[in-house]
Amino acid sequence: MYKHYRQVRIAMTCLVLWGIVLTGCGQQGKNEPPISNEPVHETVFPDSTQQEYLSKAAEVETKGNTISNEIYSDTEQQEELGEVQFTFYTSGRNFIKSIIDMRGSVEITDEMREKFNLFARDYRWCYLPDMEGYESFFATTRYTDTFGYTNFADAVFYMLHYMKCPEKMSEEAMEHALQSLFVAKDNSDKDMPHPEKMRHQAYPKFALYEDGYYSPWPEGGLDHNRMFYLLTGLDIVQEGPHIVYITVRAQNYYFEDTKIYEAGENEKWLADKAMELGVPDLQAAADLITRGKMGGIAGADEFETIIYVKFSGRNPYGYDPRIVTNRSRNIAYDEPFSEK
């Protein structure tokens, strides 16, 4: 609307006045948006940190190479991936950010052990499926032979119980979630969906499935507040200018609640350490894990996991961990990992 007019004479006719009013209204229509009575709808992501990393771009300096991390905008993310059905835990990206500038066989620090323990506890590392790329879920191996299921039974069980998912997940949402977390080894472009479609079915003892939706199978389990993970090995390899593979090796330790269960050797050892430190048992366990002082007892299982991280192109995943392979073994009974 024009900011001012010349003074008009009082004797100006009504017709002139009406013309001025119409002119002013027309100009206002050009400069101001129309007012709507419709309610405002905002896109809400299940995790505020997911919103943060989707809306920002990051640049990382790596061995003298600048590699950019171009993240989708919120609108592009919705158009490309559809409705957000699950989110990664922030502890995973926090760990990866803290080590991403390093290369080769990395000397492990207290800070790395502390961040990895938080990462592994959130992701329930002891239940992470053994796999050799996303394509290995199409095979039928290990204990799933008993039921005749493919290895997707493990993956679906893990996703429903241990990742941040809705109570029910559609077939499409489940397939997208699994391809987001687990990367196909045989894809030259690992950010492209695997060409073979997942077979959707019921997995009794693993997951409920009805009318095209998955939901968790009722399942008891360990108290994960009493599970701890010790980072024992870390290797980081850069492939080309934009891709990094991170190999982590770890052991897990579980301490029963002695108010409920009889104390075993691990619980007795931890009780002595807690008394020395003058803190509760779980606080003592966290402190000992951070300092790598677990030599007095043996871990339960050992894990070797390869994580894929990409820094350029249209990448909605940012620093979140995407699993290429995972191997686990029982320390007491299984053979050590073979050298690659």
Side-chain angles (χ1 to χ4, degrees):
M1 201 165 32
Y2 296 112
K3 295 181 179 179
H4 56 81
Y5 293 97
R6 295 178 182 274
Q7 273 193 326
V8 294
R9 299 176 181 177
I10 297 176
M12 189 173 290
T13 64
C14 293
L15 180 61
V16 175
L17 289 173
W18 181 245
I20 293 172
V21 171
L22 289 178
T23 302
C25 291
Q27 185 68 22
Q28 180 174 357
K30 295 178 182 178
N31 291 321
E32 296 181 6
I35 297 173
S36 172
N37 293 322
E38 292 296 319
V40 176
H41 296 280
E42 295 182 352
T43 301
V44 179
F45 288 82
D47 186 343
S48 61
T49 52
Q50 182 86 345
Q51 172 78 9
E52 177 185 351
Y53 94 81
L54 287 173
S55 63
K56 294 183 178 180
E59 287 193 349
V60 182
E61 293 288 334
T62 309
K63 295 290 184 181
N65 297 325
T66 301
I67 49 183
S68 66
N69 182 25
E70 180 183 344
I71 307 302
Y72 278 155
S73 70
D74 296 344
T75 302
E76 289 171 326
Q77 170 77 1
Q78 286 182 293
E79 291 174 352
E80 183 72 16
L81 301 180
E83 182 184 358
V84 175
Q85 293 292 327
F86 84 105
T87 55
F88 295 82
Y89 293 99
T90 57
S91 54
R93 81 182 70 121
N94 290 341
F95 171 72
I96 290 172
K97 283 181 179 180
S98 71
I99 63 170
I100 202 63
D101 289 341
M102 302 174 186
R103 294 292 179 269
S105 182
V106 176
E107 183 178 352
I108 298 172
T109 66
D110 288 357
E111 181 185 5
M112 292 177 195
R113 282 188 285 262
E114 180 179 24
K115 287 183 181 296
F116 179 78
N117 181 47
L118 296 174
F119 171 23
R121 293 178 81 185
D122 278 345
Y123 279 78
R124 305 293 197 264
W125 215 265
C126 65
Y127 290 115
L128 194 68
D130 281 358
M131 44 87 73
E132 288 289 326
Y134 177 85
E135 58 268 34
S136 68
F137 292 138
F138 292 93
T140 303
T141 56
R142 299 179 69 237
Y143 65 88
T144 52
D145 285 327
T146 305
F147 303 99
Y149 303 151
T150 65
N151 293 341
F152 273 110
D154 282 334
V156 169
F157 176 87
Y158 176 81
M159 184 60 63
L160 289 171
H161 282 269
Y162 305 123
M163 294 302 290
K164 293 189 284 187
C165 298
E167 185 66 22
K168 285 189 174 184
M169 293 184 72
S170 68
E171 295 175 349
E172 181 182 10
M174 176 60 73
E175 190 164 11
H176 167 251
L178 294 178
Q179 292 202 16
S180 297
L181 181 61
F182 301 106
V183 176
K185 287 181 68 178
D186 61 6
N187 275 13
S188 56
D189 183 350
K190 298 192 184 308
D191 295 299
M192 291 294 293
H194 193 271
E196 186 175 355
K197 300 298 289 183
M198 173 185 175
R199 177 185 173 186
H200 297 286
Q201 65 176 81
Y203 295 107
K205 306 297 183 182
F206 292 82
L208 299 171
Y209 177 80
E210 186 176 5
D211 297 329
Y213 284 84
Y214 291 96
S215 57
W217 185 271
E219 180 77 14
L222 300 172
D223 178 358
H224 283 273
N225 291 321
R226 308 193 71 84
M227 181 73 77
F228 297 85
Y229 296 87
L230 176 65
L231 181 65
T232 60
L234 183 62
D235 292 277
I236 305 175
V237 176
Q238 184 165 344
E239 183 178 284
H242 307 306
I243 293 172
V244 169
Y245 290 94
I246 302 169
T247 300
V248 297
R249 286 171 289 278
Q251 296 181 12
N252 69 322
Y253 299 81
Y254 188 77
F255 300 98
E256 297 281 8
D257 185 350
T258 55
K259 295 177 182 177
I260 303 174
Y261 303 99
E262 183 178 353
E265 292 302 314
N266 283 11
E267 289 75 27
K268 292 175 182 177
W269 177 85
L270 182 60
D272 290 341
K273 294 295 183 182
M275 186 174 294
E276 290 177 16
L277 295 171
V279 297
D281 61 344
L282 297 186
Q283 186 176 338
D287 178 73
L288 294 164
I289 284 285
T290 296
R291 294 189 288 122
K293 302 295 184 180
M294 301 299 291
I297 55 173
D301 300 289
E302 186 176 19
F303 309 91
E304 184 177 87
T305 310
I306 299 178
I307 299 168
Y308 165 87
V309 181
K310 181 180 179 182
F311 295 104
S312 72
R314 293 169 62 82
N315 171 23
Y317 302 104
Y319 292 97
D320 285 315
R322 306 185 68 205
I323 310 300
V324 184
T325 68
N326 183 62
R327 297 189 293 164
S328 64
R329 72 176 190 91
N330 183 280
I331 291 174
Y333 301 107
D334 294 347
E335 291 293 324
F337 291 133
S338 59
E339 291 295 328
K340 290 190 175 181

